[in-house]
Each structure stands twice: as structure tokens, then as C-alpha cells.
Amino acid sequence: MTSEATFRLAFVILLVALFAMRFYFMVKVRRSGGRLMPDRRAVEREGGPGMLIVRIALFFLLMAFLVMYISGMVWVDLFSFPLPDWLRWMGFGLGLLCEAFWTWTQINLDTQWSAQLQLRREHQLVTTGPYAHIRHPLYTAMCGWGAALALLTANWIFVALTVLSIAGTLARVPKEEQMMLEAFGDEYKTYMLRTGRFFPRV
């Protein structure tokens, strides 16, 4: 039987790999002259200054919680539920696959990527790699990664975080697609007809 410390180590591996990849692309975007923080229109699209403050606060709360989980705080373990080891290791494998897919997506976006609902001045519509078949592969990877953590940790808190992440994604995507329609018009409409939102169109 695998120890809980080993599963926590696997969790740390996934987390460090993800943060390293994201940091690399953040630096690349910044060096190319892109913005990391939201502009005025992006703040409005997200729901206004109040929502921006909420998002920032939630980010720091999440970081604090991740540290508490890794350190093995007792109250976090109270939300654990039983899962067989093989299923938890499947969660780790899923996490690695999602990170590979996430990285592939970021490579194709390159300096066009933004964590905010905003576009670059000379933004181009990316339709290569995963974007050839899926409009939002980044969100697919994020939600899959969240599900992977829920399996790996076997903790209800991570299950809840995954559900909230999926709900937030479903609420955000229409705003993002409206932004793309305003920027690219018929080109994006045609693109929508031949691609699926989160998975390839059948």
C-alpha cells in the first residue's frame, strides 16, 4: 500500500511542473511586450473591479491551501475519502497527460496567450495544434488536471475545487467567445462551425 507521503510527493511533482511551465510562458509573453495583468476592458469582461479583487483573493487562498495540503495539516486530511491506490496513480497519470496537453496548447499560443480576457494589439487567431479541432483546449487541460488532482489526493476539497473550476470555466467561455467574435467576426464564426468547444466536434 502506497503511503500518503508518496502521494503528496506525486502531487508536488505535478504542481512544480505546472508552475514551471506557466512561469516560462509568462516570462515569454512579458518579454514580447504583452500584458500579464488585465487592462480596463478585461476587468469589465470579468465582472468589474470587485470581481478582480475576488479572483486575486481566491488565488492567494488557493496557494495557502496547497501549502497546507502539502505540509499534511490534520484538518485537510479530515476531508479524505477512500480510493484504491491504482485509481490514485491513474490520477497522477492523468495529471501528466493533461500537463503535456496543456504545454502543447501553450506552445501553439506562444506569445498570443493571456490569462486575462484580453487580446494583443495585433492578435492573430490561432488554429494550429489542438486549436485545429478544439476552441478552448487550455480549459480542457485545466479541468482535466483538476480532476486528476481530485483522484490523486482522494480529498473532497479537491473534488469541490474541480467542480468550482468547471463551473467558472463554463461561465467564462461565452465571454471569451464574444470577445473573439468582436475581434475576428466571420473568421471566428467559421472557426466555431468546424471546431468543438472543449472536445473535437463529432
Side-chain angles (χ1 to χ4, degrees):
M1 185 175 180
T2 308
S3 69
E4 198 61 37
T6 303
F7 284 122
R8 279 193 168 85
L9 177 59
F11 175 89
V12 170
I13 291 171
L14 288 180
L15 204 62
V16 170
L18 179 70
F19 282 179
M21 181 268 289
R22 291 283 277 192
F23 180 75
Y24 170 80
F25 283 102
M26 286 172 69
V27 170
K28 195 169 185 181
V29 168
R30 191 70 188 90
R31 286 180 175 174
S32 71
R35 290 177 61 98
L36 295 178
M37 294 302 292
D39 58 21
R40 182 182 57 80
R41 292 195 67 190
V43 171
E44 291 172 356
R45 290 189 187 104
E46 295 281 11
M51 185 55 66
L52 176 62
I53 293 171
V54 169
R55 286 178 64 206
I56 293 171
L58 288 175
F59 172 78
F60 283 108
L61 283 173
L62 176 61
M63 292 301 103
F65 170 71
L66 293 178
V67 170
M68 287 186 277
Y69 171 77
I70 292 168
S71 63
M73 294 192 72
V74 176
W75 76 268
V76 176
D77 289 338
L78 293 176
F79 293 91
S80 297
F81 57 88
L83 272 185
D85 285 1
W86 65 267
L87 191 54
R88 296 182 71 174
W89 284 119
M90 277 188 65
F92 180 67
L94 175 62
L96 291 175
L97 285 174
C98 287
E99 287 190 4
F101 185 64
W102 197 330
T103 303
W104 183 35
T105 301
Q106 293 268 190
I107 289 171
N108 279 271
L109 278 177
D110 199 36
T111 56
Q112 306 276 356
W113 170 73
S114 174
Q116 317 300 335
L117 289 182
Q118 61 193 17
L119 302 175
R120 298 194 64 150
R121 288 181 180 176
E122 297 180 359
H123 201 94
Q124 297 178 350
L125 181 61
V126 177
T127 59
T128 57
Y131 286 94
H133 305 285
I134 308 172
R135 294 196 298 281
H136 304 284
L138 204 61
Y139 294 141
T140 303
M142 287 179 182
C143 292
W145 192 76
L149 293 190
L151 287 173
L152 176 61
T153 61
N155 190 292
W156 286 114
I157 297 177
F158 283 96
V159 174
L161 288 173
T162 300
V163 171
L164 289 173
S165 176
I166 293 172
T169 297
L170 293 175
R172 193 177 204 244
V173 164
K175 300 175 185 177
E176 185 168 322
E177 292 190 339
Q178 182 58 41
M179 176 185 71
M180 298 299 283
L181 284 167
E182 291 171 2
F184 296 102
D186 290 340
E187 184 183 3
Y188 195 74
K189 286 181 181 178
T190 303
Y191 174 67
M192 291 177 75
L193 291 174
R194 70 172 189 267
T195 55
R197 181 172 269 181
F198 302 114
F199 301 97
R201 184 181 291 276
V202 179

